[in-house]
Amino acid sequence: MNSVVKKLIEVAGRTPKTLVFPEGADERIPLAACEIAALGFVKPIVLGKREEIEAIVSREGKTLEGVCVIDPKESELLPGMAAEYAASRGVKEGIAKKLVSKPLAFGGMLVRMGHADGMVAGVASATSSVIQAASVTVELAEGISAPSSFFLMVMPEADGRVFVFADCGVNIQPTAQELAEIGVVAAANAKKLLGAEPVVAFLSLSTKGSAAHPDVDKVVEAVRIAREMAPELCLDGELQLDAAISPRVAEKKAPESPVKGAANVLVFPDLDSGNIGYKLTQYLGGAQAIGPIMQGFKKPVNDMSRGATVADVVAVAAVTALQAN
Amino acid sequence: MATTIERVKKVTAELLGLDAASIKDDARFIEDLGAKSVQTVELVAGFEEEFEIEMEEEDALAAKSVAKAAELIDACL
C-alpha cells in the first residue's frame, strides 16, 4: 500500500463512515470489504446473497466480521424505499419496487435515506449504469447539472505536491456553466482530500486575454459563473498552465491574479485537454494518478474500473469516505 | 390479449407521459420519445413489472427502440 493511500486511510479512520458496495457477487468486493473492516476505517455494507458472499470469503480463510451483508430482494427496507422512490420520481410503486431491488439502485437508496454515507460500485457494472442509478437515487447536488470526475495527482516525492485535475473522465465538451460547476465542486473535494485550502485555476491556451478565440471566451465565462457560485473561493482564469502553477511565470503573465502560480486545483477546458493532461503528468511527470473519482452527487458515489483490484477498492473506499466528510 | 409491442408502448407512454397510440414501433426512447437517459432504468423496471420477468441490465439498456425492447422481452418470456 503506498504512502498516499495509507494517509487517506488514516484520516478516514478518525471518523469511520458507512459505505455500501452493491456488487457483492463479484469476489473482489467481499474480499475488499473484509480488508476494509479489518483496517477499521469504514463500516462496509455489501449487497448480495449472504451464503454466496460467505463462500467467497471463507475460500480465502476470512470471515465477515465487521461486514454488514444485505440481500436487497429480502430486505425489510425494500417497501419503505420503494414508497420513497415512487413519491420522489412520480412512478408506480410496483415499478419503484422492481427498480430499487436492483443492487445499484438499492445501494443508492441506502445512501439517499441515510443508512450509508456513500457508495462504491463499478467493478461489475458499466459506468453509465452506475451514473444512472446514482442520478435517480442519490441525485445530483443542488445547482449541479451533470456529474463529473477528478483525479488526485500525486507528484513524485522530491516535488511533494498533490493536485486535483478535473474533469478528466466524464464531460467531453462542458459548457461554461458546467465548467464552472466542475471547478467549484472540485475545490470542495480538494479541501476534503488534501486538507489544504483550494486554489483553483481555470486553464486555457490564453492568459488574461493573450489570445482571442471562442474557446477562451468559454473559460472566461466559466470563471465569472464560478465566482458567482462561490465568491469565497480563491479562483481565477483564464490561465495557461505555467501561469497557474509557476509563481515565477505568474508574476510575469498574470501579476494581478489571486492564484499567484500556486494553483492546486486545475480545471481543464474540455475532456481532450483533461485526459491528455493527466496522462502527461502521470507518464512523463512520474505522478501517481488516483481516480477517476466522481463528483456532483448529493453524497459521494464512485465508479471503479472493471479491471480494479481488491487494493484499488480499498483505496477508493478511503477516498469516498473522505468525500463524505 | 394485447401483443408484446402494445404492452411495451403502454408502459413507455405511462412513464414518459405520452399517448400510447402516438408511439410508432420503431420509435427510439431517447431520440424520438424524449426520454432522459436516467429514465431508461425506469423503463427497464417498468417492462420487468409488466411482463413479470428479470432482464439483464446491459442487454436491456442496449435495446434503444420500442421494437427492440419488445424483441428482447419476447426472448425472455
Side-chain angles (χ1 to χ4, degrees):
Chain A
M1 194 183 290
N2 72 51
S3 59
V4 177
V5 174
K6 267 189 191 154
K7 176 92 193 294
L8 294 174
I9 287 175
E10 183 206 314
V11 178
R14 290 178 201 157
T15 50
K17 301 286 179 190
T18 301
L19 298 182
V20 58
F21 301 80
E23 297 155 319
D26 186 297
E27 68 169 24
R28 289 167 290 180
I29 294 303
L31 295 176
C34 286
E35 197 170 325
I36 289 164
L39 290 165
F41 67 97
V42 152
K43 295 176 228 168
I45 300 175
V46 175
L47 303 186
K49 292 191 187 310
R50 188 167 189 97
E51 54 278 15
E52 282 178 21
I53 291 167
E54 251 167 6
I56 290 168
V57 301
S58 66
R59 273 203 300 274
E60 298 292 321
K62 299 182 177 188
T63 69
L64 286 172
E65 195 181 335
V67 179
C68 172
V69 176
I70 301 177
D71 181 352
K73 290 198 164 60
E74 303 295 325
S75 170
E76 59 193 25
L77 296 169
L78 202 53
M81 270 183 189
E84 158 103 11
Y85 186 92
S88 78
R89 296 277 308 164
V91 301
K92 286 196 300 186
E93 215 159 301
I95 293 176
K97 193 171 174 191
K98 268 281 179 197
L99 197 146
V100 301
S101 65
K102 294 170 190 277
L104 289 175
F106 186 92
M109 288 306 287
L110 283 182
V111 175
R112 179 196 177 100
M113 296 175 81
H115 300 293
D117 302 300
M119 175 160 86
V120 176
V123 298
S125 311
T127 297
S128 59
S129 298
V130 177
I131 290 181
Q132 284 181 0
S135 298
V136 292
T137 56
V138 180
E139 296 181 343
L140 289 168
E142 208 65 51
I144 301 300
S145 48
S148 57
S149 72
F150 66 93
F151 278 88
L152 276 185
M153 300 301 297
V154 184
M155 300 308 292
E157 228 159 87
D159 180 311
R161 286 180 294 175
V162 183
F163 292 91
V164 164
F165 281 21
D167 170 2
C168 307
V170 178
N171 295 284
I172 293 175
Q173 195 59 260
T175 62
Q177 173 71 37
E178 287 165 347
L179 201 56
E181 294 169 11
I182 289 166
V184 170
V185 183
N189 277 308
K191 193 165 185 174
K192 288 173 184 173
L193 290 163
L194 309 183
E197 277 307 311
V199 179
V200 186
F202 285 80
L203 300 180
S204 168
L205 57 92
S206 162
T207 298
K208 298 292 178 183
S210 66
H213 189 274
D215 287 353
V216 177
D217 298 340
K218 179 180 90 168
V219 178
V220 172
E221 176 64 3
V223 171
R224 188 192 66 74
I225 298 168
R227 285 212 173 99
E228 264 179 28
M229 289 175 74
E232 73 293 348
L233 204 57
C234 179
L235 65 88
D236 203 12
E238 85 293 8
L239 293 169
Q240 287 163 290
L241 178 78
D242 52 0
I245 63 168
S246 161
R248 182 182 60 79
V249 177
E251 206 168 302
K252 287 197 181 128
K253 290 189 174 179
E256 308 294 322
S257 173
V259 167
K260 297 188 187 307
N264 55 9
V265 178
L266 303 182
V267 183
F268 291 85
D270 57 27
L271 195 50
D272 270 338
S273 54
N275 190 272
I276 294 166
Y278 102 77
K279 287 187 175 163
L280 277 175
T281 314
Q282 182 180 19
Y283 284 89
L284 293 184
Q288 184 194 352
I290 300 177
I293 301 161
M294 280 216 291
Q295 59 175 15
F297 293 107
K298 283 182 180 165
K299 293 181 185 173
V301 174
N302 271 310
D303 170 51
M304 302 208 51
S305 148
R306 292 196 200 208
T309 62
V310 169
D312 293 334
V313 178
V314 173
V316 171
V319 170
T320 312
L322 290 176
Q323 284 180 282
N325 271 336
Chain B
M1 173 128 183
T3 61
T4 303
I5 202 156
E6 284 165 351
R7 291 164 72 193
V8 167
K9 287 180 186 175
K10 182 188 79 143
V11 172
T12 306
E14 271 176 23
L15 276 165
L16 302 182
L18 303 169
D19 173 11
S22 71
I23 299 176
K24 296 190 175 131
D25 288 5
D26 60 356
R28 293 165 300 172
F29 296 110
I30 291 177
E31 294 87 342
D32 301 325
L33 302 178
K36 292 187 182 134
S37 66
V38 296
Q39 284 179 302
T40 54
V41 286
E42 291 173 343
L43 284 165
V44 173
F47 301 144
E48 289 183 336
E49 196 225 7
E50 170 72 20
F51 295 96
E52 295 178 4
I53 53 171
E54 297 277 334
M55 298 168 82
E56 276 297 324
E57 180 146 326
E58 283 184 30
D59 293 347
L61 294 177
K64 308 276 187 209
S65 69
V66 170
K68 290 278 178 207
E71 213 173 277
L72 182 66
I73 291 163
D74 274 334
C76 293
L77 289 171

